[in-house]
Amino acid sequence: MTPLVHATTPGGFLLVLAVILPVCAVLAILACGPRHAARIAVVALAAGAAVAIAIAAELVTSGAALTYVVGGWRPPLGIALRADGLSGAMLAMTALVVTAVGLFARVQYGLAGDNGGGRAQITFWVMLLALWSALNAVFVGEDLFNLYVALELLTFAAVPLVCLDGRAETVKAALRYLLFALVGSLLYLLGVGLIYGQYGTLDLSALSRLARSDPALLAALALMIIGLLAKAALFPLHLWLPPAHAGAPAAASAVLSALVIKAPVFLILRLVLDVAPPQAAAIVGQLLAVLGAASILFCSVMALRQARLKLMIAYSTVAQIGYLFIVFPLAGGDGTAPWETIAWTGGALQLISHALAKAAMFLAAGVIAEAFGHDRIADLGGFGRVLPLSAAAFGLAGLSLMGIPPSGGFVAKCLLLTAAVIEGYPWLAATILIGGLLAGAYVFRVIDKALAVPVVPIAPRRAVPRRLELAALALAVAAVLIGFVPLRPFGFLQIGRGGLAMAGLP
């Protein structure tokens, strides 16, 4: 019999609000017409950010996970929403990035002299809000089939953002992204079917108590994880990401690179830590770490070779995602629960700091392209004199990617490096150090151009208001401020984890 593991807690209704508020905003835009789209979106951004803050505050106050049982029907008949510390951190980070991107887009679209009535603008606002709802549904979802639905909504909101400008090359990139995403969804759905046939429930908390080492579960987890890897663009399944993220408008690239690929990573983390039996989790963790290390090294070199700024940032995204997968063999090697280890904290900080830094970089690159009409690195000598705030944003975000103190990326990589040494993984420690050096090489290519003094000063194609640069700068500063998190397992990330019968890692 499936154990009853969920009951609505005080504040649980906030999880419902986090999912449906963006949907209500989409309906309001469709009902009120395109000229009101930006205003409705800004109100929704403020309301959604307030809900995310309220959820984080409730988690801190109660010290326990928030849960909401939809309709009062407990799993397996009904579905439940649940937010622990990691989910709360993801909701808050998503709200911050989406709000900053929305404010950036509002200023950028205003420069075009269109009052929000253009097709691209309307599509952007609708898809941004739909994407936000889908992300929140992934972060609080407890039912594997509902998580599949949320992933599909995420894909169908993200794909139009890739080809928002309608150019042939971006449409081609969007179709390639769609193909990878649909294959990933098919594999995930096959795994869901196997699990339901074996256990009669799709609730993650229930599965964490029922799961045992049997062939059906192992096959299901293998299918689901491979499908999610295709969506997360981990090497060698990353081929769709660089053209898709580099070709999209800057605001869309920021959301895609910072948030969308984090959703499948978040689910892989839950499947491996919460559902997989210990022996299987150990093997999967080793394989994921190998792919993560390959992703760091190969895609960092590819980033170094790119001539275009946005392509360089896109390859950097694939490289930085690799750090999230080397967490698995480092968490809980001495029998300690994974969420009580420094590797867990390091991985979570990497997930959040990378999102903030990468969104800042793409927005800064968007300002540069808006000002000069291109993003060719070789032709950007002295751009820091024209766009000092964008150059500063790129530099601060670069600190996080390189792992330079006091940035959040430094704390994350320092914790992962320490865990690799303690747990006896010298090859992972070497990968982290080499990855940092390669990141420094491609970031300094751009910083060098920003500080250069060309013989013929670079002239902007059009004037860009300072307020367009502020969103990127704010995100970059936030990526640095995360570095002040204590260098030890962060208590907030452990909220709600102890109540699950985790399989854990050896």
Side-chain angles (χ1 to χ4, degrees):
M1 179 180 175
T2 303
L4 301 177
V5 294
H6 294 295
T8 298
T9 60
F13 70 96
L14 292 170
L15 306 181
V16 180
L17 285 180
V19 176
I20 66 169
L21 262 180
V23 176
C24 293
V26 170
L27 296 176
I29 289 174
L30 297 177
C32 297
R35 291 197 173 278
H36 301 284
R39 280 191 290 273
I40 293 171
V42 169
V43 172
L45 294 177
V51 169
I53 293 171
I55 290 173
E58 187 68 29
L59 285 169
V60 172
T61 303
S62 66
L66 300 184
T67 303
Y68 186 85
V69 179
V70 178
W73 293 88
R74 293 183 178 184
L77 293 178
I79 60 173
L81 305 178
R82 185 176 186 274
D84 55 19
L86 182 60
S87 298
M90 297 299 291
L91 291 171
M93 179 266 291
T94 301
L96 177 59
V97 172
V98 169
T99 301
V101 167
L103 296 176
F104 175 92
R106 190 165 187 258
V107 176
Q108 188 180 34
Y109 287 137
L111 297 179
D114 194 325
N115 293 324
R119 179 194 60 82
Q121 290 92 324
I122 298 303
T123 304
F124 174 81
W125 290 120
V126 169
M127 294 303 148
L128 178 70
L129 292 166
L131 182 146
W132 192 8
S133 175
L135 282 169
N136 288 345
V138 170
F139 297 143
V140 302
E142 278 288 289
D143 183 273
L144 288 174
F145 183 77
N146 282 282
L147 287 169
Y148 162 77
V149 174
L151 286 172
E152 290 305 282
L153 290 175
L154 189 61
T155 297
F156 289 113
V159 168
L161 289 176
V162 172
C163 56
L164 209 53
D165 58 12
R167 289 181 293 131
E169 60 187 272
T170 59
V171 172
K172 182 180 177 182
L175 291 176
R176 180 185 294 184
Y177 171 29
L178 182 62
L179 177 63
F180 271 78
L182 291 179
V183 171
S185 296
L186 178 62
L187 294 176
Y188 178 90
L189 193 57
L190 287 173
V192 170
L194 282 174
I195 287 180
Y196 189 74
Q198 187 73 5
Y199 295 99
T201 182
L202 296 175
D203 182 77
L204 280 170
S205 295
L207 286 171
S208 71
R209 290 164 167 78
L210 296 172
R212 55 188 181 274
S213 186
D214 59 60
L217 177 65
L218 299 180
L221 290 176
L223 289 169
M224 295 168 77
I225 290 174
I226 292 173
L228 292 170
L229 288 179
K231 290 175 176 287
L234 185 68
F235 176 88
L237 302 174
H238 68 286
L239 300 177
W240 63 265
L241 188 146
H245 288 197
S253 299
V255 173
L256 296 170
S257 197
L259 302 177
V260 172
I261 58 172
K262 301 299 191 311
V265 175
F266 179 84
L267 291 185
I268 291 173
L269 202 63
R270 296 210 61 185
L271 289 175
V272 175
L273 296 182
D274 295 356
V275 179
Q279 297 82 1
I283 296 171
V284 171
Q286 297 285 344
L287 293 174
L288 291 176
V290 170
L291 293 177
S295 193
I296 293 170
L297 299 177
F298 178 79
C299 291
S300 292
V301 173
M302 290 299 295
L304 197 54
R305 298 180 58 187
Q306 298 308 308
R308 283 186 53 213
L309 180 58
K310 288 187 71 177
L311 262 179
M312 186 203 81
I313 300 172
Y315 273 105
S316 165
T317 294
V318 186
Q320 294 291 319
I321 283 293
Y323 289 96
L324 302 176
F325 290 91
I326 66 176
V327 170
F328 293 103
L330 304 180
D334 59 354
T336 307
W339 54 94
E340 294 178 357
T341 64
I342 58 174
W344 169 267
T345 303
L349 285 178
Q350 170 67 13
L351 200 144
I352 296 169
S353 64
H354 171 259
L356 299 174
K358 197 47 61 74
M361 277 191 163
F362 267 117
L363 293 185
V367 173
I368 292 169
E370 185 78 30
F372 302 111
H374 68 85
D375 66 342
R376 297 186 298 275
I377 298 173
D379 297 330
L380 292 176
F383 82 84
R385 297 172 183 275
V386 181
L387 301 170
L389 296 184
S390 294
F394 195 94
L396 290 172
L399 292 179
S400 194
L401 297 192
M402 291 184 285
I404 302 280
S407 66
F410 163 72
V411 177
K413 292 178 175 69
C414 182
L415 290 173
L416 292 174
L417 182 62
T418 304
V421 172
I422 292 174
E423 299 296 333
Y425 287 90
W427 60 280
L428 284 180
T431 300
I432 294 170
L433 293 173
I434 295 172
L437 292 174
L438 290 170
Y442 61 71
V443 168
F444 274 115
R445 277 183 70 204
V446 182
I447 299 300
D448 179 60
K449 288 296 179 184
L451 300 178
V453 183
V455 177
V456 180
I458 187 171
R461 182 189 64 170
R462 61 183 298 180
V464 173
R466 288 281 183 257
R467 65 182 188 278
L468 189 62
E469 301 181 84
L470 291 178
L473 187 60
L475 289 171
V477 170
V480 172
L481 290 179
I482 287 188
F484 293 93
V485 170
L487 282 170
R488 58 184 171 77
F490 189 31
F492 184 81
L493 297 174
Q494 300 177 43
I495 293 176
R497 302 302 300 174
L500 292 174
M502 307 274 183
L505 292 172

